[in-house]
């Protein structure tokens, strides 16, 4: 029944933007990742699920250049790359929004959006930062994801969790990334704010960005993900496509209830 209009591809079709092959990572004796294969396409939302300690954050850190795999390969648009630092990853169009958000409460939305990537002002005007240009750009990026912040000039410490998450996600858009990685963006959010963040993920996808999102909320996952990748004890144990799995199959894969059967 899925007849797609000419030119519109199914999410996940075609060459992946990012591909991991056999990626392993150890912390001392702890096997955090074991021979993980993963592909991510533009315009696709992939959810990463699994129990605490399954290796989800480590996998995101490998893709964002924070942790380095002990073995395995990473390719961007078919070319093998080394993601040595977050800057290298950003250079390959990969931007990460971390679990702890790392917003500066005492700074306003504009300063937070441009933290570490400030626009310099013209030297002859004697201004270290081009505040006006940053405000215009901040408004544009916030509008593009329909994040509503009444005042760009008040400290973000007073904003709601959903607004803060919105700013953190918008910060990733300043560099116009192809892939956005989100580590538990809906954790600790209320129902309305959660819905806002899920909408936001949909908009990232509509902008033809790939999204990899870690979540413990299986309802969120089922709502937002085109594909679900299940991790357990550092290994990828199953992968499900939207509409072709049930909640109980997902839970069984996460807990290992159906050991041996491959989702
Ligand atoms: N820097 C580190 N040093 C030592 N061990 C680590 C480090 N980072 C992660 N680990 C270990 O690697 C394993 C995977 O951890 P990771 O944080 O990736 O799990 P997770 O799936 O994100 O879990 P959670 O759902 O709790 O966030 C765990 O056993 C963890 O203790
Ligand atoms: Mg984690």
């Amino acid at each position: 029944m899925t007849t797609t209009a000419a030119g519109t591809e199914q999410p996940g079709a075609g060459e992946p933007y990012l591909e991991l092959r056999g990626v392993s990572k150890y912390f001392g004796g702890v096997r955090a990742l074991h021979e993980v294969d993963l592909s991510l396409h533009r315009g696709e939302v992939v959810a990463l699920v699994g129990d605490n300690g399954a290796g989800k954050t480590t996998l995101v850190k490998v893709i964002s250049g924070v942790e380095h795999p002990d073995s395995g390969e990473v390719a961007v648009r078919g070319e093998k790359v080394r993601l040595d630092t977050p800057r290298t990853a950003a250079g390959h169009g990969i931007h990460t929004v971390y679990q702890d958000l790392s917003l500066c409460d005492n700074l306003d939305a504009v300063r937070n959006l441009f933290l570490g990537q400030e626009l310099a002002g013209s030297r002859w005007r004697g201004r270290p930062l081009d505040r006006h240009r940053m405000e215009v750009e901040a408004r544009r990026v916030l509008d593009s994801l329909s994040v509503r912040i009444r005042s760009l000039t008040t400290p973000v410490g007073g904003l709601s969790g959903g607004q803060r998450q919105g700013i953190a996600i918008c910060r990733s858009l300043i560099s116009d990334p192809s892939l956005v990685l989100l580590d538990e963006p809906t954790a600790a959010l209320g129902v309305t704010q959660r819905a806002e963040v899920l909408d936001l993920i949909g908009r990232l996808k509509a902008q033809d960005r790939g999204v990899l999102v870690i979540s413990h909320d299986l309802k969120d996952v089922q709502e937002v993900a085109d594909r679900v990748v299940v991790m357990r004890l550092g290994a990828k144990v199953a992968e499900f496509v939207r509409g072709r799995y049930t909640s109980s199959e997902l839970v069984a894969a996460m807990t290992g209830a159906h050991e041996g059967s491959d989702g």
Side-chain angles (χ1 to χ4, degrees):
M1 71 163 248
T2 47
T3 328
T4 49
T8 59
E9 284 181 23
Q10 294 284 8
E15 192 198 26
Y17 185 85
L18 175 82
E19 198 163 14
L20 270 59
R21 289 184 285 262
V23 165
S24 296
K25 173 75 189 174
Y26 289 80
F27 292 107
V30 177
R31 188 181 84 170
L33 294 175
H34 179 67
E35 305 207 338
V36 174
D37 295 335
L38 179 77
S39 64
L40 287 170
H41 299 73
R42 296 188 65 136
E44 176 191 41
V45 179
V46 174
L48 199 52
V49 304
D51 232 333
N52 294 119
K56 305 180 296 296
T57 295
T58 306
L59 189 59
V60 162
K61 284 184 172 169
V62 163
I63 300 171
S64 47
V66 174
E67 297 286 1
H68 307 115
D70 295 316
S71 57
E73 286 186 358
V74 180
V76 173
R77 284 187 283 195
E79 298 231 348
K80 205 176 142 186
V81 296
R82 281 171 54 107
L83 304 174
D84 289 324
T85 64
R87 193 172 283 266
T88 320
H92 287 292
I94 301 167
H95 198 111
T96 308
V97 181
Y98 290 101
Q99 211 159 5
D100 58 13
L101 293 188
S102 52
L103 294 185
C104 292
D105 284 347
N106 57 323
L107 299 179
D108 67 21
V110 176
R111 290 299 300 276
N112 269 287
L113 281 169
F114 285 91
L115 217 56
Q117 43 193 354
E118 287 85 357
L119 301 175
S122 318
R123 190 160 294 170
W124 59 269
R125 282 188 191 151
R127 292 197 316 202
L129 296 178
D130 191 336
R131 175 74 196 189
H132 175 70
R133 208 148 59 89
M134 280 163 53
E135 277 182 23
V136 170
E137 178 66 6
R139 195 43 91 188
R140 189 189 66 74
V141 166
L142 289 166
D143 285 348
S144 82
L145 292 184
S146 306
V147 174
R148 280 176 292 280
I149 311 284
R150 208 167 294 140
S151 164
L152 294 183
T153 54
T154 50
V156 300
L159 297 177
S160 76
Q163 289 174 317
R164 293 166 61 82
Q165 189 61 250
I167 291 174
I169 292 173
C170 284
R171 179 160 71 192
S172 77
L173 297 190
I174 298 289
S175 59
D176 194 23
S178 302
L179 290 187
V180 179
L181 316 179
L182 305 167
D183 194 344
E184 304 202 37
T186 58
L189 291 186
V191 178
T192 321
Q193 301 180 345
R194 198 179 202 112
E196 280 169 16
V197 171
L198 294 184
D199 272 1
L200 223 140
I201 290 172
R203 279 183 222 114
L204 291 173
K205 173 184 150 118
Q207 294 175 346
D208 199 36
R209 303 181 205 278
V211 181
L212 180 67
V213 54
I214 296 179
S215 181
H216 281 282
D217 189 297
L218 299 186
K219 247 179 73 203
D220 284 1
V221 164
Q222 281 173 301
E223 191 175 326
V224 83
D226 297 308
R227 266 190 302 138
V228 185
V229 168
V230 185
M231 309 262 313
R232 184 155 39 85
L233 303 173
K236 185 171 103 177
V237 291
E239 200 170 313
F240 298 104
V241 173
R242 182 194 282 286
R244 299 198 204 142
Y245 63 93
T246 62
S247 313
S248 50
E249 282 174 321
L250 194 53
V251 172
M254 288 170 68
T255 57
H258 295 165
E259 203 74 347
S261 75
D262 215 44

